[in-house]
Amino acid sequence: MADVDPIDFKHPKIQAEVHIAPPAPKRLRSKRAKLLAGLALGVKLAFVGWFMLADGDHVATDNAYVNADSAQVTPLVAGAVAEVPVVNTQAVKRGDVLLRLDDADARLAVARAEADLVKARHQFAQTRATGGSLAAQIDARDADIGQAQAQLAVAQANLRKASADFGRRRALAESGAISGEELTTAQSAYSAAQGNFALARAAVRQAAATRGAARQSWAANQALVQGPVDTNPEVAAAKARLAQAKLDLARTVVRAPIDGVVTNRQVQVGQRIAAGAATMTIVPIGTAYVDANFKEGQLSRVRVGQPVRLVSDLYGSDVVYRGRVIGFSGGTGSAFALIPAQNATGNWIKVVQRLPVRIALDPADLRKNPLRVGLSMEAEIDVSKS
């Protein structure tokens, strides 16, 4: 290729044809630079002023997560699982059946408790009827005492007669008017009368003691039958056992304690579970809240009751949730870690801590756009309102 001569743009003819403008003077360029620098400084100052006036009344964090007071479903009685009518992700209402256990043993326990209650009632009726028999025994013992006292009176009269006969014969025996044999007979009769009198007196005491025992038995019986039948200790205990058996039977059907969504179901039909074993969890998404972890330097103006603007990563910035601050955690997350930080060491480096702030969500917003536990949120607190 042949060489081409370079164009001389400084030639007057060339400049006339292409109309090349001469370079601007240095003073003009300096003014433009100063104008641009001043404009940039003005924009920066305006931004800083806007931030101080507007964003200075807000603190925000993206370290926030949805949480809820979930309910752990645990049966209160042991048994084999007969039916599980719910599955994970299913929405349930309070009182809906979540789990059924085999209730055959529980029904037998109710039948035994009912039989024990009937037996206790019959025993109470029998005890009450025994009271009449014991009262009659007291009357019989009173009659025995009367009879013993009469016998004692007879024995006492016989003793006096025998004593008098023995005294006369002993006087006559001294004068020789009667024989020694007759005196011996009189003495024997007197001794026998003394023995009969002692026996009669003992019989009276025995009859009195028997009557006392009969009265004690009657009093003990009356203590058992006082008041209505349901206040009897045996009957009351039988009723308590029946109530417990019926309660255990009712507990073979496990119902939802709250409204929510079933999650983490861990039980299958045919599985035998113990009382208190975790079977599933109910998450109350209608009452979910947010735990926002703010830096400690952001919390100087945060107060309970301040409004909060929240955005969920699930729905994006187009869906805004309204909330309010309802409380602060009792400590930072690191303070309750499994292995807390040992800040007393000489190599300690200060790390900015975060404190969980509890934020309640507007129920209307939750109904319109439901959330799930663990979802990420962005929270912005308006600290201008206290």
Side-chain angles (χ1 to χ4, degrees):
M1 179 181 288
D3 294 336
V4 179
D5 295 334
I7 299 175
D8 186 5
F9 288 98
K10 294 184 179 181
H11 195 277
K13 292 183 178 182
I14 297 300
Q15 289 184 354
E17 291 183 3
V18 298
H19 303 286
I20 296 178
K26 292 182 178 181
R27 182 178 297 178
L28 182 60
R29 289 199 302 270
S30 177
K31 287 183 178 180
R32 289 179 180 176
K34 291 180 180 179
L35 180 62
L36 291 174
L39 182 61
L41 180 60
V43 172
K44 184 176 181 180
L45 292 175
F47 177 79
V48 171
W50 173 83
F51 178 81
M52 294 297 294
L53 294 176
D55 278 7
D57 289 335
H58 295 80
V59 292
T61 183
D62 59 357
N63 191 344
Y65 305 94
V66 180
N67 208 338
D69 294 329
S70 302
Q72 193 85 309
V73 179
T74 57
L76 298 179
V77 294
V81 178
E83 182 183 4
V84 187
V86 297
V87 296
N88 284 332
T89 73
Q90 180 175 337
V92 294
K93 295 290 184 180
R94 180 177 181 179
D96 289 351
V97 176
L98 304 178
L99 186 69
R100 295 182 188 275
L101 302 178
D102 185 4
D103 60 357
D105 293 338
R107 292 184 181 279
L108 289 175
V110 170
R112 286 194 298 268
E114 288 176 342
D116 290 342
L117 178 59
V118 172
K119 180 180 179 181
R121 290 181 182 276
H122 287 172
Q123 288 179 343
F124 177 81
Q126 182 180 1
T127 303
R128 176 170 286 179
T130 304
S133 175
L134 293 175
Q137 289 182 12
I138 294 174
D139 294 338
R141 299 293 81 78
D142 289 338
D144 291 343
I145 290 176
Q147 182 179 0
Q149 288 176 342
Q151 292 177 351
L152 177 60
V154 172
Q156 188 175 13
N158 291 335
L159 177 60
R160 285 196 298 266
K161 180 177 181 300
S163 177
D165 290 345
F166 175 65
R168 285 195 301 270
R169 281 171 174 73
R170 187 171 53 186
L172 293 173
E174 292 177 355
S175 62
I178 62 173
S179 63
E181 182 180 357
E182 188 175 354
L183 178 62
T184 302
T185 301
Q187 186 177 4
S188 297
Y190 174 69
S191 298
Q194 284 182 322
N196 291 334
F197 177 76
L199 289 174
R201 189 164 54 184
V204 171
R205 288 196 297 266
Q206 182 179 2
T210 304
R211 182 181 64 179
R215 285 181 175 177
Q216 292 295 329
S217 298
W218 177 82
N221 181 270
Q222 289 300 108
L224 294 176
V225 298
Q226 284 181 353
V229 61
D230 291 335
T231 61
N232 178 261
E234 297 297 331
V235 175
K239 288 180 65 177
R241 289 192 294 269
L242 177 58
Q244 181 64 56
K246 289 182 176 180
L247 182 60
D248 291 342
L249 177 60
R251 285 174 172 172
T252 59
V253 179
V254 181
R255 300 181 181 274
I258 57 174
D259 298 347
V261 175
V262 177
T263 186
N264 197 27
R265 199 190 91 169
Q266 307 175 30
V267 63
Q268 303 296 333
V269 174
Q271 178 182 353
R272 183 169 183 83
I273 56 178
T279 58
M280 64 188 73
T281 303
I282 305 298
V283 180
I285 59 175
T287 58
Y289 52 84
V290 172
D291 284 330
N293 303 303
F294 284 92
K295 296 179 181 179
E296 52 189 326
Q298 296 177 293
L299 298 175
S300 60
R301 298 173 59 192
V302 177
R303 301 290 184 271
V304 173
Q306 289 175 339
V308 186
R309 181 182 182 273
L310 301 108
V311 176
S312 169
D313 291 355
L314 177 64
Y315 298 107
S317 59
D318 294 336
V319 177
V320 177
Y321 293 87
R322 295 165 296 173
R324 61 182 179 86
V325 177
I326 61 173
F328 301 86
S329 175
T332 64
S334 61
F336 298 107
L338 183 61
I339 304 178
Q342 297 297 322
N343 296 335
T345 62
N347 297 327
W348 176 63
I349 298 176
K350 182 177 180 179
V351 178
V352 176
Q353 301 297 315
R354 289 182 178 268
L355 184 72
V357 177
R358 180 67 54 89
I359 300 171
L361 298 173
D362 190 333
D365 294 343
L366 282 175
R367 286 193 296 270
K368 186 176 180 181
N369 298 289
L371 294 171
R372 295 296 186 271
V373 172
L375 293 178
S376 299
M377 301 286 287
E378 296 180 6
E380 182 180 278
I381 302 176
D382 184 356
V383 296
S384 64
K385 298 181 174 62
S386 59

